[in-house]
Amino acid sequence: MKNALPDQRREHGWSQQRLADELGVSRQTIISIERGRFDPSLPLAFKLARVFDCTIEDLFDPED
């Protein structure tokens, strides 16, 4: 699944570790999501969208 997580994170000036800390997950989880190796659970996807003040659809494209 294609995602805009790295772009959103960089736009906010956040490191992977800061985002991980904000969400209560490991940095490895963020790396895996950004690289497309791991699709986040629905609750985690909602948290990501809330953190970046956008919709889940803005972050993730399941069609790709």
Side-chain angles (χ1 to χ4, degrees):
M1 171 169 26
K2 183 178 178 185
N3 71 74
L5 186 55
D7 297 330
Q8 284 285 342
R9 183 176 54 74
R10 284 187 211 106
E11 283 180 23
H12 283 77
W14 288 14
S15 66
Q16 291 171 330
Q17 187 62 56
R18 176 163 179 204
L19 179 57
D21 292 345
E22 187 76 24
L23 298 170
V25 298
S26 71
R27 181 174 167 261
Q28 188 60 42
T29 298
I30 301 302
I31 291 168
S32 295
I33 294 170
E34 287 186 355
R35 292 183 179 167
R37 294 186 197 151
F38 173 74
D39 293 334
S41 65
L42 195 53
L44 181 53
F46 274 110
K47 283 183 183 180
L48 283 161
R50 202 170 18 245
V51 162
F52 293 122
D53 193 29
C54 65
T55 66
I56 292 173
E57 293 85 358
D58 291 336
L59 289 174
F60 300 100
D61 183 4
E63 301 286 321
D64 191 35

